[in-house]
Amino acid sequence: MIDLRSDTVTKPNEQMRKAMYEAEVGDDVYGEDPTVNRLEQIAAETLGKEAALFVTSGTQGNQMAGLVHCQPGQEVIMESQAHLFLYEAAALSAFAGVQIKTIDGNRGAMNPNDVEAAIRGDDIHQPETGLICIENTHNKAGGAIVPLENMEQIYQLSRKHQIPVHLDGARLFNASVAAQIPVKEFAKYTDSVQFCLSKGLGAPVGSMIAGSSEFIRKARKWRKRLGGGLRQAGVLAAPGIIALEENVKHLDEDHENAKYLADGLQNMDGIVLVNQVDTNILLIDITETKHSNENFIHLLKEHGVLAGAFGPNVIRFVTNNGITKKDIDVALTAVRKVVS
Ligand code: TLP
């Protein structure tokens, strides 16, 4: 099966499995796991932040931001198609007790004027704005890169209003590699960052959050409170180190494959490309094929290709390190058969 449902499906390679086997471990709740400590140090340095913390998932990392930065009863501003809003089971509301204020963006980027206009607080009837969240790359916008200048503008206005900024950078390294801008530059315009090791970077488990030492100190407590304090977690952190030191170098292959897929689908009957491919995600609209999402996905699967539904009549393909250019050729043939 050629699995293009997500980059979460990547499996740890041999180098990672070996590193897991050989990992030096200790009790991480005591801060004594040398491999976790090393991963956290590498992540903090790479992002240019004071400290970092290994967390179980992207969803958990994003929750840390809400829990540390916000008070119950506050409001969090984010783009209307943000993963935090659509796909995290309302965790921010459930755990941090905040409500979400969404703003429609352009390819995932919020207009800074709209963000500023959405900030609330003085009126006794209104919640205070406790946090602004940005997602880069933006998943629902098809892996779109939110421009650095846009992040800078939002950060500047956030300083004026003294509101922290959190970056859901689940795929920040994809943005960095495609835009040829170090992750540090993106992270500069944030108070906290979450990025995933277990997506395009190919580690089996985990995300990192980074920020000031004070932010991480509080996040560590929240992680424990939520039952995310792991013990000999070095076996999970070891592939994370390889993800950062080795696998980042290969993300551009995923981007090339996504563009190759887009080129192949461009002129196919009934297929409309939804997004400009910046990174590793391609969305297609299949309305004209007259297939339902379910049916389209089912037929693709019969031809050996897995894809996911991503909105009404929209199918998502995500290239990842388990996919070669040859696999893309097979996927193109499969789509051609489904639409013909
Ligand atoms: N995204 C998954 C699904 O949940 C949709 C995927 O297949 O793309 N932020 C962003 C931008 C994400 O895309 C995801 C996962 C997360 C956070 C959550 O990460 P995990 O799955 O580790 O909790």
Side-chain angles (χ1 to χ4, degrees):
M1 261 317 159
I2 293 168
D3 198 345
L4 293 163
R5 286 173 301 170
S6 183
D7 45 11
T8 58
V9 302
T10 51
K11 299 199 172 110
N13 60 22
E14 219 177 301
Q15 193 186 3
M16 285 182 169
R17 287 172 191 266
K18 189 162 179 284
M20 291 172 86
Y21 182 74
E22 290 171 356
E24 241 189 285
V25 295
D27 190 329
D28 182 46
V29 173
Y30 295 144
E32 287 175 4
D33 188 299
T35 311
V36 172
N37 291 344
R38 190 157 153 249
L39 173 63
E40 291 177 346
Q41 197 188 338
I42 294 170
E45 273 167 23
T46 310
L47 289 176
K49 296 289 189 197
E50 282 174 7
L53 184 70
F54 183 48
V55 295
T56 54
S57 67
T59 302
Q60 191 184 60
N62 285 338
Q63 296 330 303
M64 300 285 107
L67 289 162
V68 174
H69 291 307
C70 300
Q71 297 296 320
Q74 288 186 328
E75 190 167 70
V76 177
I77 296 174
M78 64 185 69
E79 205 276 328
S80 55
Q81 304 294 303
H83 190 277
L84 258 159
F85 181 57
L86 296 182
Y87 297 116
E88 298 189 14
L92 270 187
S93 303
F95 302 139
V98 294
Q99 72 178 24
I100 309 294
K101 165 82 181 165
T102 60
I103 292 176
D104 290 339
N106 175 20
R107 302 191 72 237
M110 295 181 287
N111 183 321
N113 295 331
D114 295 343
V115 175
E116 191 154 29
I119 292 172
R120 313 205 278 170
D122 287 343
D123 189 318
I124 195 169
H125 302 91
Q126 295 183 355
E128 285 159 15
T129 302
L131 182 64
I132 299 168
C133 291
I134 297 173
E135 184 176 316
N136 203 0
T137 63
H138 194 290
N139 188 351
K140 195 77 177 181
I145 300 171
V146 173
L148 190 61
E149 309 76 60
N150 177 267
M151 289 188 60
E152 183 180 0
Q153 286 165 352
I154 292 175
Y155 187 70
Q156 274 163 4
L157 73 87
S158 78
R159 296 309 90 172
K160 194 165 84 186
H161 296 275
Q162 296 182 316
I163 298 168
V165 173
H166 173 69
L167 172 60
D168 175 358
R171 299 184 178 83
L172 184 60
F173 284 86
N174 293 84
S176 160
V177 167
Q180 298 184 328
I181 297 171
V183 282
K184 234 180 220 175
E185 288 299 307
F186 290 104
K188 206 157 90 184
Y189 302 120
T190 68
D191 295 282
S192 57
V193 182
Q194 178 278 123
F195 74 85
C196 293
L197 297 163
S198 65
K199 298 202 164 49
L201 295 179
V205 175
S207 279
M208 304 304 297
I209 53 171
S212 66
S213 305
E214 183 59 7
F215 171 82
I216 292 298
R217 190 186 63 75
K218 291 180 180 162
R220 193 178 287 279
K221 183 98 167 206
W222 268 112
R223 188 186 68 170
K224 185 76 185 94
R225 199 172 274 136
L226 293 176
L230 303 177
R231 301 294 179 174
Q232 286 70 33
V235 289
L236 300 175
I241 293 172
I242 290 165
L244 288 177
E245 290 185 340
E246 295 298 327
N247 291 11
V248 172
K249 295 176 203 155
H250 300 291
L251 286 177
D252 54 354
E253 292 163 26
D254 297 347
H255 302 165
E256 276 164 29
N257 283 336
K259 289 202 174 85
Y260 182 62
L261 180 63
D263 288 346
L265 291 176
Q266 184 114 291
N267 298 315
M268 226 179 260
D269 271 354
I271 301 291
V272 176
L273 303 194
V274 175
N275 65 312
Q276 165 197 318
V277 175
D278 286 352
T279 54
N280 67 331
I281 301 180
L282 172 65
L283 308 176
I284 59 168
D285 189 306
I286 57 161
T287 312
E288 289 175 21
T289 68
K290 307 269 192 281
H291 285 295
S292 65
N293 275 352
E294 214 181 16
N295 197 26
F296 193 91
I297 288 166
H298 172 75
L299 291 171
L300 266 185
K301 191 174 175 183
E302 287 196 336
H303 292 103
V305 176
L306 299 177
F310 218 51
N313 301 316
V314 174
I315 302 291
R316 182 181 75 157
F317 298 98
V318 186
T319 54
N320 60 70
N321 72 13
I323 300 296
T324 62
K325 196 171 172 212
K326 255 190 177 159
D327 294 331
I328 301 293
D329 285 324
V330 175
L332 287 169
T333 308
V335 178
R336 203 170 290 120
K337 281 183 184 153
V338 172
V339 299
S340 66

